[in-house]
Amino acid sequence: MLTNLKAQPADKILALMAMYRDDPRPTKIDLGVGVYKNAEGVTPVMRAVKTAERRLVEEQTTKSYVALAGDPAFSAAMTDLLLADSVDRARIAAIATPGGTGAVRQAFELIKGASPTARVWVSNPTWPNHVSILNHLQIETVKYRYFDTETRGVDFDGMIEDLNAATPGDVVLLHGCCHNPTGANLNLTQWQSVIDLLNEKGLIPMIDIAYQGFGDGLEEDAAATRLVASSVPECLIAASCSKNFGVYRERTGMLMAISENADNTAVTQGNLNHLNRQNYSFPPDHGARVVTTILTDDALRADWAAELEETRLSMLNLREQLASELQRLSGSDRFGFLAQHRGMFSQLGTTPDMVERLRAEHGIYMVSDSRLNIAGLNAVTVPILAKAIVETGI
Ligand code: LMR
């Protein structure tokens, strides 16, 4: 049986992690996988996470099963964080999932179960694993224009033109903030136009939000998600705690499904529970409990928000440093977009050949689509990267 298996293509982000690990050059720089690193190159455990974990070790009395949907207190705390008062709670069904990827996978399965012929529209480009999971589930995927390789901003006219070809019942996958991989985002006026189009054409939005707090702030980064969720009859939201709580390996995420009216919520919730049961039974609890502990304790929450804000500001600062160093070395403003982008990533908009040259000649690792992880930089490596970019002729 196993001899029938065909080799699977490697995930390009994870393959890069392995290549970096195996590179013996001491000067190598990792701008690949989306993991926050501080100025010392360390991905720290956040202070509030450590405190919450200590508290759990002291106070937790059982590790028995919780519920198929996870702890209701986690769903409630995450719903408050993401949606505040924008949507009637009675319309929301939610499950805890293993990370944001788990939420994305369960959302796609829900779509397939509810509407087997629905197509899913994804931005071009999008996080490669979106497309990979859709292919795995044999869901038809259509790309809409998103990134303008000239301006390195959003090709909004192209996006709207493409989405006009969607048919009622199709799903449109949108990044709630901090677009991955490009770093280019819609403004709220553009979001409103997208919402008008969704409603006009009967399309269902699915929002993937994995970087709340990494762009313009916790509230600001949730604004588009809240606007969409409060303006459409149905909406799916896949949220990740990996980055903003730094609990990557704990696999902590949540899928929300908002129904048109409260009468439908129980059936939707039952379907979400069923999906968890079929795929892995109970979702992981530790990370979710840590997040709930933080979000429901005023002092811990304030400390977490402060540390997240420091993280956000350090990334913004690196963006500005890199843009100005490139301006200085190249004598042109063509890299100004780096300071305009938000979140962990920016897409340089260069070719895979140039990216390969940066790796081979300078030991600089970025994803072949020219996505770079801003948080992988520090004050020492910014000038090295800028010099390499200019020398390579990007
Ligand atoms: C990324 O885009 O680098 C992260 O979301 C990590 C991953 O799983 O790909």
Side-chain angles (χ1 to χ4, degrees):
M1 173 191 77
L2 299 180
T3 51
N4 295 334
L5 292 175
K6 294 188 178 62
Q8 293 294 332
D11 179 287
K12 65 180 179 186
I13 298 173
L14 304 187
L16 198 69
M17 270 172 91
M19 264 176 102
Y20 176 80
R21 209 174 33 231
D22 295 343
D23 187 333
R25 287 175 286 185
T27 52
K28 63 187 176 179
I29 301 175
D30 179 15
L31 307 179
V33 70
V35 169
Y36 173 75
K37 292 188 203 132
N38 63 19
E40 288 76 45
V42 175
T43 304
V45 180
M46 295 179 84
R47 295 184 300 261
V49 168
K50 265 284 179 223
T51 309
E53 286 188 314
R54 269 193 217 101
R55 203 177 284 177
L56 281 181
V57 167
E58 290 303 319
E59 294 172 9
Q60 195 167 47
T61 54
T62 180
K63 292 277 189 192
S64 180
Y65 294 126
V66 181
L68 282 180
D71 182 3
F74 173 66
S75 303
M78 284 294 288
T79 305
D80 284 345
L81 181 69
L82 268 166
L83 294 180
D85 294 330
S86 59
V87 179
D88 176 6
R89 293 288 182 277
R91 289 174 53 209
I92 305 176
I95 45 171
T97 56
T101 309
V104 166
R105 166 72 188 240
Q106 300 294 58
F108 290 159
E109 288 208 30
L110 191 75
I111 292 166
K112 193 167 183 185
S115 189
T117 56
R119 300 178 297 173
V120 175
W121 291 72
V122 298
S123 60
N124 186 15
T126 191
W127 182 50
N129 210 23
H130 284 147
V131 180
S132 181
I133 300 175
L134 285 164
N135 288 343
H136 184 70
L137 293 173
Q138 297 181 318
I139 295 174
E140 194 183 339
T141 309
V142 195
K143 289 182 178 160
Y144 59 85
R145 270 173 284 172
Y146 186 80
F147 192 56
D148 182 333
T149 46
E150 285 298 310
T151 63
R152 268 82 155 182
V154 177
D155 175 5
F156 190 64
D157 292 344
M159 175 177 179
I160 293 293
E161 200 180 316
D162 288 352
L163 288 179
N164 258 305
T167 44
D170 280 354
V171 174
V172 180
L173 178 55
L174 300 154
H175 298 219
C177 65
C178 306
H179 186 269
N180 178 7
T182 66
N185 298 289
L186 302 180
N187 61 38
L188 283 178
T189 313
Q190 292 170 325
W191 274 103
Q192 187 57 56
S193 303
V194 171
I195 291 167
D196 293 344
L197 186 120
L198 294 170
N199 284 334
E200 200 180 297
K201 299 197 73 76
L203 311 175
I204 297 134
M206 171 176 159
I207 299 179
D208 187 357
I209 177 156
Y211 298 90
Q212 186 185 356
F214 271 41
D216 290 311
L218 269 173
E219 295 299 306
E220 292 83 347
D221 291 350
T225 303
R226 291 175 190 170
L227 190 63
V228 175
S230 61
S231 315
V232 296
E234 294 185 338
C235 181
L236 300 176
I237 303 172
S240 171
C241 301
S242 298
K243 279 84 181 181
N244 53 4
F245 287 87
V247 290
Y248 304 85
R249 66 174 68 162
E250 300 299 349
R251 310 313 297 138
T252 310
M254 189 178 75
L255 172 63
M256 275 189 256
I258 304 176
S259 293
E260 183 159 9
N261 55 58
D263 295 345
N264 205 50
T265 306
V267 176
T268 308
Q269 185 65 59
N271 274 269
L272 292 179
N273 295 355
H274 177 73
L275 277 178
N276 265 3
R277 182 66 170 159
Q278 301 321 302
N279 282 325
Y280 38 75
S281 234
F282 298 90
D285 180 76
H286 179 74
R289 205 158 285 273
V290 166
V291 166
T292 310
T293 304
I294 294 169
L295 291 177
T296 55
D297 178 300
D298 287 348
L300 277 186
R301 187 186 176 116
D303 187 44
W304 163 72
E307 192 171 353
L308 178 61
E309 183 64 2
E310 281 164 31
T311 304
R312 184 182 81 79
L313 293 175
S314 81
M315 286 186 290
L316 267 186
N317 193 14
L318 286 164
R319 286 187 173 285
E320 274 153 24
Q321 282 180 38
L322 182 59
S324 83
E325 186 65 5
L326 281 163
Q327 208 272 347
R328 193 178 71 78
L329 293 178
S330 70
S332 97
D333 291 331
R334 68 178 192 280
F335 295 103
F337 65 88
L338 288 162
Q340 307 306 319
H341 285 171
R342 285 294 178 273
M344 210 177 227
F345 307 115
S346 269
Q347 189 149 9
L348 274 184
T350 188
T351 61
D353 283 355
M354 292 293 198
V355 173
E356 175 50 22
R357 279 186 56 197
L358 285 176
R359 191 194 66 77
E361 293 166 21
H362 301 274
I364 294 169
Y365 284 72
M366 59 177 81
V367 185
S368 56
D369 61 8
S370 75
R371 183 191 86 169
L372 68 106
N373 175 12
I374 294 290
L377 291 166
N378 58 41
V380 175
T381 53
V382 162
I384 299 173
L385 172 65
K387 189 160 172 278
I389 288 175
V390 172
E391 275 178 17
T392 313
I394 292 172

